[in-house]
Amino acid sequence: MDEKDWAPQTKAAQALGWTDATTGAVVEPIHPSTTYLRDPDNLYRRGRQYARADNPGFDQPQALISALEQGAEGLIFSSGMAAATSCFMALRPGDHVIAPDVMYWSLRAWLTTYAKEWGLVVDSVDMRSPEAVARALKPGHTRLVWIETPANPLWTVTDIAAVAELAHRAGAHVVVDSTCATPVLTRPLMLGADIVMHSASKYLNGHSDVIAGALVTRTCDEYWQRIRALRVKLGSIPGPFEAYLLTRGMRTLYVRVHTASANALKIAMAMQRNPAVDEVLYPGLADRPDHALAARQMQGGFGGMLSLRIRGGEAAAVRVAARVRLWKRATSLGGVESLIEHRGSVEGADSPCPMDLLRLSVGIEAVEDLIADLEQALAES
Ligand SMILES: *Cc1c(COP(=O)(O)O)cnc(C)c1O
């Protein structure tokens, strides 16, 4: 059986089955060298000159993430923000872009400040509604529609196929921040997106010990080539050790994401029954407004992220976060350990995040332990 016919889990577990040609090692070596030998006749036949452009340690994680997303080419970056902002910096002053009104707060903050100062025209729309996207599109001017689904921190779902069709008709590219869906649950390129973006610091690496980002493209068009060239010019590349850790982390992606998703669904159902919780935001719950769309667009689970709105408001929410013992009070998400965060304290005034909201990143611990810890913390709120 050919490597390209392997199931995605097999590709991930084997990191595409690569072995080191020189030593036979089943784990690829880390390449710290910054520079590469020139041939005596002055050519670089082996194709590498300098590590800002090409570190051989990037080849395997890039090939793997690209295979999992079923794309044409993948690139890893120094962070998720570096990957995301590259998609905007590859545009030109005056270009119009559409971004969701519910999205990862740090990127939203960058879009409303630096991106605008550099001449991009940024509109925020309700991405739950393809009609709202249709109204905001300016054919010939809109170059990029940014999607995040499920979207931080309310976990609303966007119909990637519907938005991609509208965007393409208007001549715009579509990039999907799929950090929280992961290639395990959603493959945006198969639904019509042009590029998929990941904060690889989250589920792809999965162990809260790497900052990295990734992009995978459906086609190597002119826009992608500008993004690829920008990475070399800006040097927004991870270190060789981070690239190695990322491959190591992705080998267990499927078991981690499936376990976290199954845990999250059980926690969401338990929290719906808890009198101290006003609302559970999780698209896996059958009574959520975007459940049908999520069930169609996501396979094998609804992800490990959910939010709780705590009865009693901000003060009660902060008290619950203070009382958990197993859950760790910390930002970030997608690691094997469960995290809890009062998101309003982070996002600030212009955020759609309500102040009674706690964001949960569900890990792979025993779900009974996670539920018991939340229940004891909520009981006293
Ligand atoms: C963390 C995150 C980012 C930013 O990634 P970094 O690796 O922290 O730069 C972007 N989008 C989402 C959804 C994230 O969770």
Side-chain angles (χ1 to χ4, degrees):
M1 194 164 84
D2 209 34
E3 169 215 297
K4 69 176 181 345
D5 301 323
W6 292 352
Q9 296 90 306
T10 309
K11 288 180 182 163
Q14 294 242 345
L16 299 177
W18 291 19
T19 54
D20 180 47
T22 310
T23 63
V26 300
V27 174
E28 287 272 316
I30 299 171
H31 292 275
S33 187
T34 56
T35 189
Y36 297 87
L37 275 181
R38 206 185 255 281
D39 296 326
D41 60 2
N42 223 28
L43 295 177
Y44 276 109
R45 274 191 201 74
R46 280 167 290 194
R48 298 182 205 272
Q49 303 179 18
Y50 187 57
R52 174 153 46 71
D54 33 37
N55 185 310
F58 296 176
D59 297 354
Q60 192 179 21
Q62 289 179 164
L64 179 54
I65 177 68
S66 175
L68 299 181
E69 291 289 4
Q70 297 172 267
E73 186 175 278
L75 291 172
I76 57 173
F77 289 78
S78 49
S79 69
M81 280 297 285
T85 53
S86 295
C87 297
F88 293 96
M89 288 195 285
L91 301 174
R92 293 179 171 84
D95 284 349
H96 178 239
V97 304
I98 296 176
D101 54 7
V102 177
M103 69 184 292
Y104 177 68
W105 73 284
S106 195
L107 183 58
R108 191 189 54 219
W110 183 85
L111 281 173
T112 54
T113 52
Y114 294 95
K116 282 193 172 164
E117 286 161 22
W118 286 344
L120 289 183
V121 182
V122 184
D123 273 333
S124 291
V125 310
D126 179 354
M127 282 281 168
R128 290 171 302 179
S129 158
E131 296 73 33
V133 177
R135 279 194 299 276
L137 280 164
K138 298 178 184 155
H141 297 284
T142 309
R143 294 289 167 219
L144 176 57
V145 176
W146 189 268
I147 293 174
E148 180 180 326
T149 182
N152 252 293
L154 307 181
W155 314 114
T156 45
V157 178
T158 295
D159 187 335
I160 297 172
V163 171
E165 198 190 320
L166 292 166
H168 289 157
R169 234 185 281 150
H173 279 88
V174 173
V175 182
V176 178
D177 180 343
S178 199
T179 298
C180 294
T182 81
V184 178
L185 307 176
T186 309
R187 269 143 325 271
L189 302 183
M190 299 297 102
L191 297 168
D194 299 288
I195 294 176
V196 56
M197 175 250 146
H198 289 279
S199 167
S201 322
K202 313 295 170 51
Y203 289 99
L204 293 185
N205 178 63
H207 293 76
S208 309
D209 55 7
V210 167
I211 296 289
L215 297 176
V216 181
T217 189
R218 191 157 48 86
T219 54
C220 297
D221 58 6
E222 194 244 0
Y223 176 51
W224 177 256
Q225 284 165 36
R226 281 173 67 86
I227 291 171
R228 194 209 280 132
L230 251 181
R231 187 185 69 156
V232 176
K233 300 297 173 211
L234 298 176
S236 43
I237 51 165
F241 185 57
E242 283 69 22
Y244 153 76
L245 279 177
L246 181 53
T247 304
R248 182 198 165 109
M250 281 194 286
R251 286 173 179 263
T252 55
L253 180 68
Y254 284 74
V255 280
R256 286 187 287 100
V257 170
H258 282 142
T259 302
S261 291
N263 281 354
L265 181 59
K266 286 184 189 146
I267 292 169
M269 293 192 310
M271 291 300 105
Q272 257 189 333
R273 293 189 295 268
N274 195 297
V277 176
D278 267 341
E279 192 181 3
V280 181
L281 309 179
Y282 187 61
L285 291 171
D287 59 358
R288 296 302 299 173
D290 35 19
H291 177 70
L293 169 60
R296 183 150 46 82
Q297 186 164 276
M298 305 179 82
Q299 285 104 41
F302 298 90
M305 297 303 299
L306 67 138
S307 294
L308 308 178
R309 299 192 65 182
I310 305 299
R311 188 153 298 175
E314 177 177 2
V318 171
R319 272 200 306 275
V320 171
R323 285 204 195 97
V324 290
R325 297 185 196 122
L326 174 58
W327 293 75
K328 295 288 166 283
R329 263 182 315 283
T331 196
S332 196
L333 57 97
V336 289
E337 69 286 297
S338 294
L339 306 179
I340 188 165
E341 185 177 36
H342 180 249
R343 206 52 211 165
S345 306
V346 178
E347 301 211 359
D350 62 342
S351 157
C353 178
M355 292 307 281
D356 60 2
L357 181 143
L358 290 176
R359 188 181 81 172
L360 309 187
S361 169
V362 179
I364 63 168
E365 302 94 334
V367 71
E368 305 76 37
D369 291 344
L370 295 171
I371 292 173
D373 191 36
L374 286 174
E375 282 177 345
Q376 67 78 22
L378 286 162
E380 299 170 46
S381 76

